[in-house]
Coordinates of all heavy atoms in Angstrom, one line a residue:
L64 N 51.1 -95.2 120.3 CA 51.5 -94.5 119.0 C 52.6 -93.6 119.3 O 53.5 -93.4 118.4 CB 50.3 -93.7 118.5 CG 49.2 -94.5 117.7 CD1 48.0 -93.6 117.4 CD2 49.8 -95.1 116.5
A65 N 52.7 -93.0 120.5 CA 53.9 -92.2 120.8 C 55.1 -93.0 120.8 O 56.2 -92.5 120.3 CB 53.7 -91.6 122.2
I66 N 55.1 -94.2 121.3 CA 56.3 -95.1 121.3 C 56.7 -95.4 119.9 O 57.8 -95.3 119.5 CB 56.0 -96.4 122.1 CG1 55.8 -96.1 123.6 CG2 57.1 -97.4 121.9 CD1 55.3 -97.3 124.4
S67 N 55.7 -95.8 119.1 CA 56.0 -96.2 117.7 C 56.4 -95.0 116.9 O 57.3 -95.1 116.0 CB 54.7 -96.9 117.1 OG 53.6 -96.0 117.0
T68 N 55.8 -93.8 117.2 CA 56.3 -92.6 116.4 C 57.7 -92.3 116.7 O 58.5 -92.0 115.8 CB 55.4 -91.4 116.8 OG1 54.0 -91.7 116.5 CG2 55.9 -90.2 116.1
A69 N 58.1 -92.4 117.9 CA 59.6 -92.2 118.3 C 60.5 -93.2 117.5 O 61.5 -92.8 117.0 CB 59.8 -92.3 119.8
S70 N 60.0 -94.5 117.5 CA 60.8 -95.5 116.8 C 60.9 -95.2 115.3 O 61.9 -95.3 114.7 CB 60.2 -96.9 117.1 OG 60.9 -97.9 116.3
V71 N 59.7 -94.8 114.7 CA 59.7 -94.5 113.3 C 60.5 -93.3 113.0 O 61.2 -93.3 112.0 CB 58.2 -94.3 112.9 CG1 58.1 -93.7 111.5 CG2 57.4 -95.6 112.9
V72 N 60.5 -92.3 113.8 CA 61.3 -91.1 113.6 C 62.8 -91.5 113.7 O 63.6 -90.9 113.0 CB 60.9 -90.0 114.5 CG1 61.9 -88.8 114.4 CG2 59.5 -89.5 114.2
D73 N 63.1 -92.3 114.7 CA 64.5 -92.9 114.7 C 64.9 -93.4 113.3 O 66.0 -93.2 112.8 CB 64.6 -94.0 115.7 CG 65.1 -93.5 117.1 OD1 65.4 -92.3 117.2 OD2 65.0 -94.2 118.1
G74 N 64.0 -94.3 112.8 CA 64.2 -94.9 111.5 C 64.4 -93.8 110.4 O 65.2 -94.0 109.5
F75 N 63.5 -92.8 110.5 CA 63.6 -91.7 109.5 C 65.0 -91.0 109.5 O 65.7 -90.9 108.5 CB 62.5 -90.7 109.7 CG 62.7 -89.4 109.0 CD1 62.4 -89.3 107.6 CD2 63.3 -88.2 109.6 CE1 62.6 -88.1 106.9 CE2 63.5 -87.1 108.9 CZ 63.1 -87.0 107.6
F76 N 65.4 -90.6 110.7 CA 66.7 -89.9 110.8 C 67.9 -90.8 110.4 O 68.8 -90.4 109.7 CB 66.9 -89.3 112.2 CG 66.2 -88.0 112.4 CD1 65.0 -88.0 113.1 CD2 66.7 -86.9 111.9 CE1 64.3 -86.8 113.3 CE2 66.0 -85.7 112.0 CZ 64.8 -85.6 112.8
V77 N 67.9 -92.1 110.9 CA 68.9 -93.0 110.6 C 69.0 -93.3 109.2 O 70.0 -93.3 108.5 CB 68.8 -94.3 111.5 CG1 69.8 -95.4 111.0 CG2 69.0 -94.0 113.0
G78 N 67.8 -93.6 108.6 CA 67.8 -94.0 107.1 C 68.1 -92.9 106.2 O 68.8 -93.1 105.2
N79 N 67.6 -91.7 106.5 CA 67.8 -90.5 105.6 C 69.1 -89.8 105.8 O 69.7 -89.3 104.9 CB 66.7 -89.5 105.8 CG 65.4 -90.0 105.0 OD1 65.3 -89.8 103.8 ND2 64.5 -90.7 105.8
Y80 N 69.6 -89.7 107.1 CA 70.9 -89.0 107.3 C 72.1 -89.9 107.3 O 73.2 -89.5 107.1 CB 70.8 -88.3 108.7 CG 69.9 -87.0 108.7 CD1 68.5 -87.1 108.7 CD2 70.5 -85.8 108.5 CE1 67.8 -86.0 108.7 CE2 69.8 -84.6 108.5 CZ 68.4 -84.7 108.6 OH 67.6 -83.6 108.5
L81 N 71.9 -91.2 107.7 CA 73.1 -92.1 107.9 C 73.1 -93.2 106.9 O 74.2 -93.9 106.8 CB 73.1 -92.6 109.3 CG 73.0 -91.6 110.4 CD1 72.9 -92.3 111.8 CD2 74.1 -90.6 110.4
G82 N 72.0 -93.5 106.1 CA 72.1 -94.4 105.1 C 71.6 -95.8 105.4 O 71.2 -96.1 106.6
A83 N 71.5 -96.7 104.4 CA 71.0 -98.0 104.5 C 71.8 -98.9 105.5 O 71.2 -99.7 106.2 CB 70.9 -98.7 103.1
D84 N 73.1 -98.7 105.5 CA 73.9 -99.6 106.4 C 73.5 -99.3 107.9 O 73.4 -100.2 108.7 CB 75.4 -99.3 106.2 CG 75.9 -100.0 105.0 OD1 75.1 -100.6 104.2 OD2 77.2 -99.9 104.7
A85 N 73.4 -98.0 108.2 CA 73.0 -97.7 109.6 C 71.6 -98.2 109.9 O 71.4 -98.7 111.1 CB 73.1 -96.1 109.8
L86 N 70.7 -98.1 109.0 CA 69.3 -98.6 109.2 C 69.3 -100.1 109.5 O 68.7 -100.6 110.3 CB 68.4 -98.2 108.1 CG 66.9 -98.5 108.2 CD1 66.4 -97.6 109.4 CD2 66.2 -98.2 107.0
A87 N 70.2 -100.8 108.7 CA 70.3 -102.2 108.8 C 70.9 -102.5 110.2 O 70.5 -103.5 110.9 CB 71.1 -102.8 107.7
A88 N 71.9 -101.8 110.6 CA 72.6 -102.0 111.9 C 71.7 -101.9 113.1 O 71.7 -102.7 114.0 CB 73.8 -101.0 112.1
V89 N 70.8 -100.9 113.0 CA 69.8 -100.7 114.1 C 68.8 -101.9 114.1 O 68.5 -102.4 115.2 CB 69.1 -99.4 114.0 CG1 67.9 -99.3 114.9 CG2 70.0 -98.2 114.2
N90 N 68.3 -102.3 113.0 CA 67.3 -103.3 112.9 C 67.9 -104.7 113.2 O 67.2 -105.6 113.6 CB 66.6 -103.3 111.6 CG 65.5 -102.2 111.5 OD1 64.4 -102.5 111.9 ND2 65.9 -101.0 111.2
L91 N 69.2 -104.9 112.9 CA 69.8 -106.2 113.3 C 69.8 -106.4 114.8 O 69.9 -107.6 115.2 CB 71.2 -106.3 112.7 CG 71.3 -106.6 111.2 CD1 72.7 -106.3 110.6 CD2 71.0 -108.1 110.9
L92 N 69.8 -105.4 115.5 CA 69.8 -105.5 117.0 C 68.4 -105.8 117.6 O 68.3 -106.1 118.8 CB 70.4 -104.2 117.6 CG 71.9 -104.0 117.5 CD1 72.3 -102.6 117.8 CD2 72.7 -105.0 118.3
M93 N 67.4 -105.7 116.8 CA 66.0 -105.8 117.3 C 65.8 -107.1 118.0 O 65.1 -107.2 119.0 CB 65.0 -105.6 116.1 CG 64.8 -104.1 115.8 SD 63.6 -103.9 114.5 CE 62.1 -104.4 115.3

Side-chain angles (χ1 to χ4, degrees):
L64 279 176
I66 294 173
S67 60
T68 298
S70 176
V71 167
V72 172
D73 267 351
F75 167 78
F76 279 103
V77 171
N79 281 276
Y80 284 81
L81 307 177
D84 283 3
L86 189 62
V89 170
N90 279 270
L91 281 163
L92 289 167
M93 284 182 66

